[in-house]
Amino acid sequence: MAAGKKRVLDEASGTPKAKKTKMERSEKKPRDQPHKSSEPASSLVADEIDFPRGGGTTLTPLEVKTLRAEAAKEADKELFEDSAKDQIVKRRRKSEVDSKSKPFDKDGKKAARIRIEHLNYKRVVVGMKILGQVIAVEPLALIVALPNQLFAHVPITQISSQLTHILESMDDDEMHSSGDEEEDASPSRVPDLFEIFKPGEYVRAVVTSVHAPGATDIAGLGRARDEVQRASRRVELSLVPEKVNEGIAKADLRSGFTISASVKSVEDHGYILDLGIPEVSGFLSFKDSKKGPFDEGKKLHVGRLVDVVVSKLPGNGRTCNVSVDPTTYRNAVLTEVSDVHSIVPGALVQSLVTAVQPDGLILQVLGFFDGTIDQFHLSPGDPEENYKVGQKIKARILYDISPSTPPRFALSLADHVVRYSAKSTASDGGSTSLHDAYPIGTVLEAVKVTRVENERGLIVEVGSDVEGFIHISQVSDEHVPTLSALSGAWKVGTVHRARVTGYFPLDGLLQLSLRTSVLAQKFLQVADVQVGEVIKGTVKKLTDSALFVSISGNVDGVVWPNHYADIALKHPQKRFKPGGSIKCRVLVVDPERKRIALTAKKTLVESTLPVVSQASDAQVGTVTHAVVFKTSEKSLQVEFYNNLKATVPAREASETAISSLSAAFPIGKPVQVRIVAIDPETSRITASIRQASPNFKSAITDISGVDIGDIVDGVVSDIRKDKAVVTLQPTQVTALLSLTNIANRRAISVAQLRLTLKVGEKLQDLVVTSRNPEKGFVLVATKPKEKEALLQKNHLSLDTVQPGQLVGGRVLRHNRHGALIKITNSISGVLHPTDAADDYDSGKPFPAVDSVLKAVVLSVDKERRQLRLSTRMSRLFPAQNKPVADRELADLSDLKVGDTIRGFIKSIAEHGLFVTLSREIDARVQIKELFDDYVKDWKSRFSVNQLVKGRILSLDAEKKQVELSFRSGDLKRENRSQLSMSDLSEGQKVDGRIKRVEDYGLFIEIEGSKLSGLCHKSELSDNKDADVTLALRSFREGDKVKAVILSVDREKRRISFGLKPSYFEEKDFGEESESEDEEPGSAFGVVEDGEDSDGGAEDDVQQEEDGSDQESDDGEGVAMDVDLTLDLQQPDKRSAVIPTVVLAETLDLEDGFQWSVTGPTEDVEMESEEESDEDSQLEGKKKKKKRKEIELDLTADMHSKAPESNADFERLLLGSPNSSYLWIQYMSFQLQISEIDKAREIAKRALKQINFREEQEKLNVWIALLNLENVYGTEESLESTFKDAARHNDSKTIHLRMAEIFEQSDKPEKTEDQFKRTVKKFSQSSKVWTLFAEHYLKRGMLEEARKLLPRSLQSLEKRKHLKTICKFAQLEYKLGDPERGKTIFEGIVDSHSKRWDMWSVYIDMEAGQGDVMSLRNLFNRVLALKMTSHKAKSFFKKWLELERRLGDEEGQDAVKAKAIEWTQRAAGIAEL
């Protein structure tokens, strides 16, 4: 022990002289007394002598002699004791000593005695000084992270002595005061801990007490809400400077010394600080305090803790000036000390590596003291490779290892600790904190074990610069006694699936778990739980005040007594028993307090109404459930979710009068309410129980069941002056009908109509002409008279109808059996899609709803009162003998194996498709028979009612089962030859399919076999400098490729492929295209769009004419009036020329509405229908001519006129869901009938359905929606749409489009505001500035436009200046003052005389002015400059063209002469 003391004194003295060692001993004894009571106290006072550098002393010669004698005696004694102890230890544990004494340096003896130990709760002792990092700020305590995955807490009474004094002297009145502005400004008020500390901040602390595990009676900490708080209870720290800085020598307070201090008082010019060192205080000026990490404009409170750097120590030695600059504090390095106690945690010290061990480093700190660094605080990797003996490093002190003699320190080389900042990880946008990069609950699919600590846990690699720690208890749900680095499931190099459960901020590690139960947990923390979510939990315990429910893992919830049930429970213990399951709904989530409130009310748990948990969820008209929590005489207070409250006035509580609200609505009663009003300023919500009742009839009728254009029936309910009130059937919507309209229909006067029209009279065939949902009224009119039928009405009945008879009807709707046709009021028919046409391509298997058609009766079903109909031309005109492409099938005898057949998809199942071949026959197509190649998402390729083509594989007459195949080739595929490894050779070129994409290459499967191999990423491109990673991303699973076999390893069954273009020739791909040309047009599977047309021109013409001749039904048994003779004699005639339908005409509205802004800056051009047709023709060039002709005809025949109904548009969009042109036309159609809301809905549908890769198409729809909101919407809706558009598209494009929309709609003020907004956001864009200037010039605001030029040059990059100045000059020519533009151009060509492009623009601008003389002067000037002959030729050519246009023949001759002269001069110079 004595030897240890002497070592301390020797190292503290800085010299081995005995005299100085004695003096240091005499100084050290009184300071060490509180720590080591066994040392004898010295009577000498340390401050009475100077630091022994020059050899002077105040001791008498006798005292010096005595001290030397004592020192020699003690030294001998200590040496003998150490020698004896070493011999005993060696004899007892020889093997252990041998294993630990392997030298890592030349002498190695000192290093062998030092062990690198991890800090744990057993090694934390009272008095230890340690560095911590704040991770949470509680109201009365701090939660601090310590090294080696430990946690501690700091009570509010251990921050500083000044803060503790203020707390003790605070009166009760002050404690409950609200704190006005003057009190807040006072520096002596009690500051909250969150005003002093921020998470991530480092603190220097000293351990004041260590508690046993599970201790709960901890000051400043309430109930532990998570594992971190629970762990922090064990260690209590103090930040009081008197304790932390105890023992620091006054002589060490030199410039650059870092220390923690507290604000003692506020003076006129600064703050007096308490450094915790006797007779020394600090001074921080107000000026220097502004450099610190404090809130601007606020003074520091008395008692606040600050980290300072000593900047100057005056001669009196009593007050030192300090600085709070974070950079200076962070970078201050401690190079020497006079006392070991002056080395405090957090100090950055100069160190020397004395030994490198597998588990860390051993250092010599400041030349005298020992230090260790464990692997947690080293750079990732092997320490023996990263560090060398003798290397000088700067490390930060973590804690002193006590008790240890001689003194030792634990240090850190972790980058974030040395930088004194929080651990962060690199990302694309910079650095991201661990909390943001890896939130708690994140599941990491692959973490790699890099180090194993047998008794503690695993260290794993998460990212390139992020590691995680898995405690041994979190490795498995089963007990694991020990871990091994070389064997077992968790050895080094193994990869596991883990989940983030927390953080160790000071160590820079993620806290992970491999336990299966943790990975399966739904919630890991309170913040993961969503308000309104229905969960199943387990009853934990029931108390008198609440019911506690375990939700998931450590996440618990509480159910308050008023939420036990819909009614109050007298004996809740009978219903809720510990361990029982309970179904609840989340009522409140408070992440800060880590509290979840649940409700077990059956009404709320089973409610299907929307959850209102925040103010934005509360919309007027919303009906939802709430709970009564307070009653008064005039109102009820109800509570939604998340403590959101609403008021229900007494008049809205019930339809009937209530004497006592409290009796009718007890506290805790669930009620259904409708939100009727919201105050936007106070966010106060007013609700109604009365209006939420299903029997409540609102003053505003719901007319959502009636649309414009609907044909409805009604009953006259009232007759007024000039209108009749009609109740529509069956919606019961009240509508207004003009009496004049009825009179005109009946061909009588209004006076006569009043006499004949009676209340209760039924009116049929009324057309809805207008509707207003906000006011709830509808206008109707009688249906216009249609043309008289060419034939007399035929009276039909089930008895008179015969098979083969021709009937007419209107399509009502579609069902799974086909189209339902209304023949009369009592007779209907069914048209199966296979009975609709002889050729499914040209016919209409699914005729449009409300369309009129002619059909032949096939059979009569009197029970169902239905007819089986057919519209096949072979049935309608049997004498024509026209060829039938798709024959009728009566039964299975009409089919045989190998036949090619077409049908319609009836349903899509999990195992394949069901295809209807006729009314009685369905076929099945299994998944394996759908495609020749593997298709992962096969369902998206098919839809119900889609036309498909296949080949019959098998027939089962007994079971009436038919198996189809869409695959090409021979039916007996089992005979197809399969490739094997022996069939392959190097250099062979094969077709394949990409099976998998990896970072290192592509796995390719050869077609027609199950053989696959690897194409390394280096074999993708011939360009060595190409970005191969980018090329890999362009491949997807399932892509077809042509590859070359580079090598075949038959033993290991490995194939190497190459995809480099240099491996192939044109003929390799030519053969493939030729084979495609030879492929017949009858490919199986889905019939393309051209084949899937709804009908030809003939049917369309017939339908249009039939529709015009249709009349309403006049009564029971009366047939629909249809022209049954129209075009019957010439069924095979088709229009030779089908007019092209230009759908864009429907976009031109009468009020001038435009969907897209057109102008010089137009970036988007809509594709016309003609262009798309041309594109489709180009894509189809490889197919046969016959196939191409059919596709062209069917595309043109798809519609003989523009779409005129929702059904038309929907049918078109099914074929082209990514066409913004169709979507915008659909919106325009809705606007023509005043359906603004529907137009908005269509736009939103378009944005969802258009493929995300079709950015241009999406942009078109956004522009259309912005135009709609600009014309029909409010400012709020326009702004909201604009923000959404800017978020989903290129923001600058949307900003500029918005400005152009305002400009086109003649809103100059809004245009100007939009441009100001745009130039503020995109000040680096030259285009934005020039467009803004153009807007000003168009409005005649010349000065404002000219002021933009200097502003733009201040914001733009220098390389854009010349272009911008040139644009402004051109604008002056076009819209401003040409002379000013000329002046600007003169400046440009003067300073940039070699910019030929600027000369050309200048000349073009002058040409626009028509001044020939000015042009000639410009050409003479530019041609006088030195330039290439090619450039001179272009200028002479331009000059000659301008002379021909603006000048005369004399000028042309002069140009030619000058050109010859220039050429001769240039040739002469070249000869010289």
Side-chain angles (χ1 to χ4, degrees), residues 1352-1422:
S1352 66
L1353 297 181
Q1354 291 177 357
S1355 301
L1356 293 172
E1357 299 177 20
K1358 198 168 184 178
R1359 60 185 179 84
K1360 296 184 179 181
H1361 284 191
L1362 190 60
K1363 180 179 76 172
T1364 307
I1365 295 171
C1366 179
K1367 290 285 186 183
F1368 272 81
Q1370 293 178 58
L1371 290 174
E1372 287 286 356
Y1373 268 104
K1374 295 177 182 177
L1375 302 171
D1377 183 7
E1379 285 299 322
R1380 187 180 180 90
K1382 186 173 183 178
T1383 304
I1384 297 175
F1385 268 118
E1386 284 295 335
I1388 293 174
V1389 298
D1390 185 50
S1391 59
H1392 300 80
S1393 57
K1394 295 292 185 179
R1395 286 293 298 267
W1396 312 121
D1397 55 336
M1398 294 298 160
W1399 281 102
S1400 296
V1401 176
Y1402 188 9
I1403 291 169
D1404 291 339
M1405 292 295 104
E1406 282 296 310
Q1409 301 300 312
D1411 189 352
V1412 180
M1413 295 306 296
S1414 177
L1415 283 171
R1416 289 170 179 167
N1417 181 34
L1418 281 177
F1419 277 113
N1420 286 326
R1421 287 169 57 192
V1422 69

Side-chain angles (χ1 to χ4, degrees), residues 603 609 623-626 670-674 688-694:
T603 302
L609 298 178
V623 177
T624 185
H625 279 113
V671 291
Q672 184 172 308
V673 299
R674 179 190 293 271
S688 172
I689 300 174
R690 180 177 63 90
Q691 296 186 26
S693 171

Side-chain angles (χ1 to χ4, degrees), residues 7 128 141 147 168 218 272 349 382 764 838 1031 1203 1208 1285 1365 1375 1404:
R7 171 62 184 266
M128 173 186 285
E168 291 174 349
I218 307 300
I272 301 297
V349 296
D382 187 1
Q764 294 182 338
D838 291 329
D1208 293 344
I1365 295 171
L1375 302 171
D1404 291 339

Side-chain angles (χ1 to χ4, degrees), residues 1114-1151:
D1114 289 339
E1116 180 74 23
V1118 179
M1120 182 168 292
D1121 298 333
V1122 181
D1123 180 10
L1124 301 179
T1125 62
L1126 185 61
D1127 290 342
L1128 296 185
Q1129 291 76 17
Q1130 299 175 340
D1132 55 338
K1133 278 192 176 182
R1134 303 180 67 87
S1135 299
V1137 179
I1138 301 173
T1140 303
V1141 180
V1142 183
L1143 300 179
E1145 292 177 358
T1146 58
L1147 295 177
D1148 298 331
L1149 303 183
E1150 296 179 356
D1151 57 356

Side-chain angles (χ1 to χ4, degrees), residues 11-17 19-21 23-24 27 49-57 249-254 335-339 368:
E11 291 173 343
S13 66
T15 176
K17 292 184 179 181
K19 180 178 179 180
K20 294 181 181 179
T21 302
M23 291 176 62
E24 285 301 308
E27 287 182 21
I49 63 172
D50 295 329
F51 187 77
R53 290 181 185 268
T57 178
K250 180 180 176 182
D252 290 330
L253 293 178
R254 304 185 190 91
T335 57
E336 61 177 358
V337 291
S338 62
D339 193 329
F368 298 98

Side-chain angles (χ1 to χ4, degrees), residues 1268-1392:
L1268 184 149
E1269 295 295 346
N1270 180 45
V1271 176
Y1272 298 102
T1274 62
E1275 291 187 3
E1276 292 77 12
S1277 64
L1278 177 60
E1279 180 66 17
S1280 175
T1281 305
F1282 169 71
K1283 288 180 179 179
D1284 286 346
R1287 235 182 350 257
H1288 290 84
N1289 301 275
D1290 179 58
S1291 185
K1292 184 173 79 172
T1293 302
I1294 295 298
H1295 276 75
L1296 291 177
R1297 290 299 178 87
M1298 194 72 251
E1300 293 179 16
I1301 289 171
F1302 285 141
E1303 191 171 21
Q1304 291 287 333
S1305 56
D1306 196 19
K1307 297 178 180 179
E1309 291 80 10
K1310 288 190 174 182
T1311 308
E1312 182 178 355
D1313 292 341
Q1314 180 62 25
F1315 269 120
K1316 287 179 180 178
R1317 184 177 180 181
T1318 307
V1319 297
K1320 185 176 181 182
K1321 185 175 180 66
F1322 304 100
S1323 59
Q1324 297 291 322
S1325 171
S1326 174
K1327 181 179 179 181
V1328 170
W1329 289 103
T1330 53
L1331 288 177
F1332 195 6
E1334 183 179 358
H1335 166 71
Y1336 272 144
L1337 289 172
K1338 285 180 180 178
R1339 293 176 59 189
M1341 303 169 69
L1342 302 181
E1343 291 304 320
E1344 286 78 359
R1346 290 163 183 165
K1347 288 178 183 178
L1348 290 178
L1349 180 56
R1351 281 181 57 197
S1352 66
L1353 297 181
Q1354 291 177 357
S1355 301
L1356 293 172
E1357 299 177 20
K1358 198 168 184 178
R1359 60 185 179 84
K1360 296 184 179 181
H1361 284 191
L1362 190 60
K1363 180 179 76 172
T1364 307
I1365 295 171
C1366 179
K1367 290 285 186 183
F1368 272 81
Q1370 293 178 58
L1371 290 174
E1372 287 286 356
Y1373 268 104
K1374 295 177 182 177
L1375 302 171
D1377 183 7
E1379 285 299 322
R1380 187 180 180 90
K1382 186 173 183 178
T1383 304
I1384 297 175
F1385 268 118
E1386 284 295 335
I1388 293 174
V1389 298
D1390 185 50
S1391 59
H1392 300 80

Side-chain angles (χ1 to χ4, degrees), residues 521-578:
Q521 279 184 25
K522 189 175 183 181
F523 309 113
L524 280 187
Q525 57 180 352
V526 171
D528 297 339
V529 184
Q530 299 296 322
V531 175
E533 189 174 4
V534 177
I535 59 175
K536 288 185 178 180
T538 305
V539 176
K540 204 170 185 181
K541 65 176 178 177
L542 175 66
T543 64
D544 294 337
S545 58
L547 170 68
F548 296 91
V549 178
S550 177
I551 300 174
S552 172
N554 295 326
V555 181
D556 294 337
V558 61
V559 182
W560 305 114
N562 60 338
H563 278 276
Y564 285 171
D566 287 342
I567 58 174
L569 297 180
K570 293 183 178 179
H571 303 288
Q573 63 274 10
K574 294 182 179 179
R575 183 170 183 177
F576 306 112
K577 296 180 180 180

Side-chain angles (χ1 to χ4, degrees), residues 461-482:
E461 181 184 0
V462 178
S464 58
D465 56 347
V466 179
E467 290 185 330
F469 177 75
I470 304 169
H471 193 265
I472 191 171
S473 62
Q474 294 296 322
V475 167
S476 172
D477 286 327
E478 300 175 1
H479 176 66
V480 178
T482 184

